[in-house]
Amino acid sequence: MTAPDTATRTPATPSADAPQAAGPGVGIDQAEAAIVEHYPRLVRLAYLVLPPSLGRHRRVLTAHSLTQRALPRGRADRPALVPGRRGAAAPDPGYAYVRLRVLRAALEAGVPLSLRGRPLPRRAQLPPLLPQVWGLRLFPRSGGAEELALDQWLATRSGPGRAACALRALERLPEAEVRRVLAEAGVADPAAAVAESGDPAADALLSAPEFDPCVLQARPTDLLRRRRYGRAALAAGAAALVCGALLGLPGGGWGADGPAAPPYALNAAAEQALDPARLSRAEAGAWRTSSRTDFSVWPARGSRVEDTALLRRALAVWARPGASVVVSATPGTPSGPPMGPAQLLFAGEVDQAVVVLLHDGLRVVRYAEPLAGTSGAALDFARTDGASAETAGALVVGRVDGNVRYLTAPWVTGAALRDLLRPAGAAAALRITPEGLTPPVASPAPGGTCTSWSALSLTGPRSSTLVTDLGELTPARLTSGTPGATAEASPADWSKLACLLPSVRSQGVRTVNAWAYAKQPLPEGKATASWLCTRAETWRGTGERVQAQFLAPGSATAAPAAQAEDSPACGPLEPRVLAGVLWKSPGGRWYVLAAGSSQFTSLTVGGGASGRATGNHLAVRAPAGAQVDLNGKLADGTTAGVLR
C-alpha cells in the first residue's frame, strides 16, 4: 500500500480532485449505494466542516450538493481507487471513498477565493447549482444554550479543525485514524488540526438534531424584497420581449417596404404619412384658379401613380432609408420623414429607372429604383419652400449618361434648349410628353469642360423663364438686372458668365442674378471694360454667394475679381459693390483697375500703388504683383470697402 500523494498539496488548500492513493477498487455502483445508505451521515459531516460564515441556508444546500457530487468520475465500468487503511479492519471501501470525497470538497469550499492562487475558482467554492430552493430559507432546528455555544465555538475553528472534530465525533475514529484521513484529504498538518479539535467531551452534542441538515425547518424569504424583485423581473422580461419582437421584425431583405430599414414610428400621424392611400393629389387644373402657383398645384402625373406597392416603398424609404439607399440632400434641407401625408407629383418610368416625386410643402423628394428589383435605390431631397411660378417651373426627374430629363410644371406650354455660350444660336425646341417630361438633354458643361452650357427656356401663358441644371432636383433660375428690379435673363446676359456657374453647383441655389454695374474706359486706348456682379441666392435663405467679375474687351469669359459668402452685396438689401483687378495693358504696363456701382462718388487706392479718382472707376499705374488697399466714398459721405 502506497502513502498518499503529497507532492501536489499546498498548506490549507485541499483539493477534491487531488491524486488518490492506491487501494481496493470501488465501482460507481458501489459508491452510489454507499451514498444512498449513509446519506444523512455524509451530509452532516459536510455541514459541520463547511464554514459557518456561509450562513445556515447555504451550508445546508452546499452540504447536500457536495454529497450528491461524491460519485467517482469517469466511465461507470472503471473502478475508483480508495485509500488503504493501516492496522484495524478496513471499513466499507465504498463508504470510505465517498466520505473522503465529501471531506475534500467541504475543506475546499471553505478556502477563500483570494487564497486559491488560481485564475478560476473550483466548483465546490461556488454556490450550488443543485439542489435549489425558491422562496424559502432552510436551516436545522434551533438548539439550547449548549448547542448554540458549540456552534459558536466551531465558527472559531479552521476547516481542518472542524473536520477533525467531526471525524472523531461522528465517525468514532481514533486520533491516529483521524490524522490519516485528514492527510488523505489534503490537510498539510493533520496533527495541528487534531490538536485544534478541542475536548472530546462535547462530541456527543454534534449528533444532536440541531446539527442535522436533513431535518430542517422552513421560513419564507424577505417578502417585501421578493415582491420588488418580482416586479422588476416582470418589467425586465416584458422589455426583453418587446425588444426581441422589434428586432425580429422583417427589414433585412426586399419586402413590401423595399430597401427601408426596420420601422420605428408607430404613432398615428407617422403611420398615415406612410399610407399611399392618404397621398394628396392636386386637380389637373388647380393651378389656373389657385392663389399660389408653385409645387402645391402640380397634379399627379406618370404611368405608375396607381401603383400602390411602388408608392408604399417610396414612402417607407423616405421615412426609413436603409443602409444600401444612396441619400443626398441640398445644403440646409432636412432629410427626415414626412410630418404628414405628402403630395404626389409624379410616379412613372424614366429611362432605366422608376421614379417617384413627392412634395411635403417644405421639400421635394425624389425616390428612384431600377426597373428590375430595388437594389441601388436612391433618395434625393431638395428644399422648395417659398417657390413661385418662376422657380417651380421644372424638376429634374432623371440623369443618365451625361443627360438630364425634366418634369415641367402644368402651366408650361413650351420648352427649348439654349446654349448660353452661343446666344446668337437658334433654340432647339423640345417636345414635352403629355405627362410633362422633356426628352433627354445634355447636362451643362459635360465632362468638366466649358465649351457649351445648356439652359432650358420655359414658356407659359404668363411669362418665360430661363433655368439651368446645377446638379440638384430644382434647376436654378437665371435673371439679370439691377438688384430689386431683376428680370428674366436672355442667353446674351449670361454668355460671358456661364462658365463661372460651377462655383455654385450643388449649393441649394434658387436664383442667380447677373448685374452689369459699371463700364470703364481702359488706359492706353479707346476700349471699354465691363464690370459685373453675380449673386446666387439659396432656398434656405443663407449661404448666398456673391462674385464680382471683370470683362476685358475680346474676352470669352469674365474673370473673377472678388467674391464673398453670406454677404448682402449685389442684392436688394445692399445694391452696391466695389471691386478691383491688376490689369496688363496691350503695351505691357500694369494698372490697378477698380470700379464701383453708381453709389460711389470717388475711389482711393493705397499700398503697392496709390491714387485717387472722382467717380465710380479708377485706373492707376502699379508694379506687377502689387498688393493694394481699395475703398470708396458713397454719396452720403460714408466709406465702403471692396467685396470680400
Side-chain angles (χ1 to χ4, degrees), residues 307-394:
D307 190 339
T308 303
L310 169 65
L311 300 179
R312 187 181 302 279
R313 284 197 302 274
L315 291 171
V317 174
W318 181 0
R320 309 181 306 275
S324 62
V325 179
V326 179
V327 181
S328 68
T330 58
T333 304
S335 58
M339 296 178 289
Q343 177 188 354
L344 178 62
L345 303 182
F346 179 84
E349 298 179 4
V350 180
D351 299 324
Q352 300 301 313
V354 180
V355 176
V356 178
L357 290 177
L358 300 164
H359 179 243
D360 67 350
L362 173 68
R363 302 162 293 177
V364 166
V365 181
R366 175 184 179 269
Y367 170 76
E369 64 182 27
L371 287 176
T374 54
S375 177
L379 191 67
D380 303 314
F381 294 86
R383 190 165 173 173
T384 57
D385 52 318
S388 62
E390 292 76 18
T391 53

Side-chain angles (χ1 to χ4, degrees), residues 537-593:
E537 296 190 342
T538 65
W539 288 97
R540 62 188 183 277
T542 59
E544 297 87 351
R545 297 198 174 190
V546 182
Q547 188 179 77
Q549 298 94 8
F550 174 75
L551 180 60
S555 297
T557 302
Q563 61 185 11
E565 187 171 346
D566 284 323
S567 170
C570 295
L573 296 179
E574 191 177 291
R576 66 172 186 268
V577 64
L578 172 63
V581 295
L582 195 63
W583 175 75
K584 186 178 182 181
S585 70
R589 286 175 286 274
W590 288 92
Y591 290 85
V592 172
L593 301 182

Side-chain angles (χ1 to χ4, degrees), residues 64 134 165 287 309 359 380 411 489 516 546 627:
H64 284 272
W134 295 85
C165 185
W287 63 274
H359 179 243
D380 303 314
W411 56 83
V546 182
Q627 299 291 325

Side-chain angles (χ1 to χ4, degrees), residues 261-541:
Y264 64 90
L266 298 179
N267 61 76
E271 288 298 299
Q272 291 175 6
L274 301 182
D275 186 358
R278 292 183 176 270
L279 285 172
S280 65
R281 306 176 187 224
E283 297 293 335
W287 63 274
R288 301 180 186 274
T289 58
S290 173
S291 60
R292 299 175 57 180
T293 312
D294 55 14
F295 296 106
S296 65
V297 294
W298 278 34
R301 292 172 288 177
S303 60
R304 304 282 289 272
V305 292
E306 302 300 333
D307 190 339
T308 303
L310 169 65
L311 300 179
R312 187 181 302 279
R313 284 197 302 274
L315 291 171
V317 174
W318 181 0
R320 309 181 306 275
S324 62
V325 179
V326 179
V327 181
S328 68
T330 58
T333 304
S335 58
M339 296 178 289
Q343 177 188 354
L344 178 62
L345 303 182
F346 179 84
E349 298 179 4
V350 180
D351 299 324
Q352 300 301 313
V354 180
V355 176
V356 178
L357 290 177
L358 300 164
H359 179 243
D360 67 350
L362 173 68
R363 302 162 293 177
V364 166
V365 181
R366 175 184 179 269
Y367 170 76
E369 64 182 27
L371 287 176
T374 54
S375 177
L379 191 67
D380 303 314
F381 294 86
R383 190 165 173 173
T384 57
D385 52 318
S388 62
E390 292 76 18
T391 53
L395 288 173
V396 173
V397 73
R399 302 177 193 274
V400 177
D401 299 330
N403 295 324
V404 61
R405 293 187 70 177
Y406 297 92
L407 177 68
T408 59
W411 56 83
V412 171
T413 57
L417 190 67
R418 302 296 301 265
D419 185 354
L420 297 183
L421 302 188
R422 297 170 179 81
L430 302 177
R431 180 179 177 274
I432 301 177
T433 68
E435 297 176 339
L437 293 175
T438 68
V441 298
S443 297
T449 62
C450 195
T451 56
S452 67
W453 191 280
S454 61
L456 190 66
S457 178
L458 302 174
T459 326
R462 301 172 186 172
S463 64
S464 61
T465 308
L466 189 66
V467 298
T468 189
D469 176 30
L470 292 181
E472 299 170 342
L473 281 178
T474 53
R477 177 193 178 198
L478 301 179
T479 62
S480 63
T482 305
T486 60
E488 299 302 327
S490 66
D493 296 327
W494 279 90
S495 61
K496 305 297 184 181
L497 299 171
C499 289
L500 301 178
L501 285 172
S503 63
V504 295
R505 188 189 294 270
S506 301
Q507 296 299 317
V509 174
R510 178 173 58 180
T511 61
V512 189
N513 184 59
W515 173 33
Y517 68 88
K519 298 284 187 179
Q520 180 178 16
L522 295 178
E524 301 183 14
K526 298 181 180 180
T528 301
S530 298
W531 290 87
L532 305 104
C533 183
T534 56
R535 178 180 176 85
E537 296 190 342
T538 65
W539 288 97
R540 62 188 183 277

Side-chain angles (χ1 to χ4, degrees), residues 12-295:
T13 313
S15 172
D17 301 323
Q20 303 169 356
V26 176
I28 192 169
D29 294 336
Q30 186 178 2
E32 182 184 18
I35 292 176
V36 173
E37 180 181 357
H38 302 285
Y39 187 79
R41 186 174 169 186
L42 293 168
V43 174
R44 185 189 290 255
L45 175 65
Y47 180 80
L48 291 173
V49 176
L50 287 170
S53 60
L54 295 178
R56 291 191 295 173
H57 178 78
R58 181 171 170 183
R59 282 174 69 194
V60 167
L61 297 182
T62 303
H64 284 272
S65 177
L66 297 181
T67 303
Q68 294 171 14
R69 297 206 312 263
L71 286 175
R73 296 181 179 179
R75 299 190 306 271
D77 58 349
R78 183 176 64 185
L81 297 179
V82 66
R85 179 174 175 178
R86 302 180 183 90
D92 174 25
Y95 174 73
Y97 172 78
V98 295
R99 181 183 66 186
L100 182 61
R101 293 268 297 175
V102 169
L103 186 61
R104 281 176 174 165
L107 288 170
E108 189 173 73
V111 177
L113 293 176
S114 59
L115 301 180
R116 289 296 305 162
R118 295 168 52 89
L120 295 175
R122 290 189 179 274
R123 185 178 179 184
Q125 295 176 285
L126 300 175
L129 297 177
L130 291 174
Q132 286 287 342
V133 178
W134 295 85
L136 290 174
R137 305 290 296 178
L138 302 178
F139 48 88
R141 295 178 180 177
S142 299
E146 293 182 345
E147 288 80 3
L148 179 60
L150 178 59
D151 191 49
Q152 293 175 347
W153 178 82
L154 286 174
T156 64
R157 307 295 94 182
S158 66
R162 290 192 299 273
C165 185
L167 289 173
R168 186 185 64 222
L170 301 180
E171 301 295 315
R172 303 291 193 268
L173 296 180
E175 183 176 324
E177 187 66 13
V178 171
R179 288 196 300 268
R180 186 193 66 78
V181 175
L182 291 176
E184 294 290 345
V187 176
D189 193 351
V194 171
E196 187 185 359
S197 64
D199 186 2
D203 289 352
L205 292 176
L206 295 179
S207 300
E210 290 77 6
F211 297 98
D212 186 359
C214 292
V215 180
L216 301 171
Q217 293 180 323
R219 293 291 184 273
T221 57
D222 189 331
L223 298 180
L224 292 178
R225 180 182 298 176
R226 188 168 68 187
R227 175 181 293 180
R228 290 195 296 267
Y229 286 172
R231 290 174 177 173
L234 183 62
L241 288 176
V242 172
C243 293
L246 292 177
L247 292 175
L249 289 176
W254 299 111
D257 289 348
Y264 64 90
L266 298 179
N267 61 76
E271 288 298 299
Q272 291 175 6
L274 301 182
D275 186 358
R278 292 183 176 270
L279 285 172
S280 65
R281 306 176 187 224
E283 297 293 335
W287 63 274
R288 301 180 186 274
T289 58
S290 173
S291 60
R292 299 175 57 180
T293 312
D294 55 14
F295 296 106

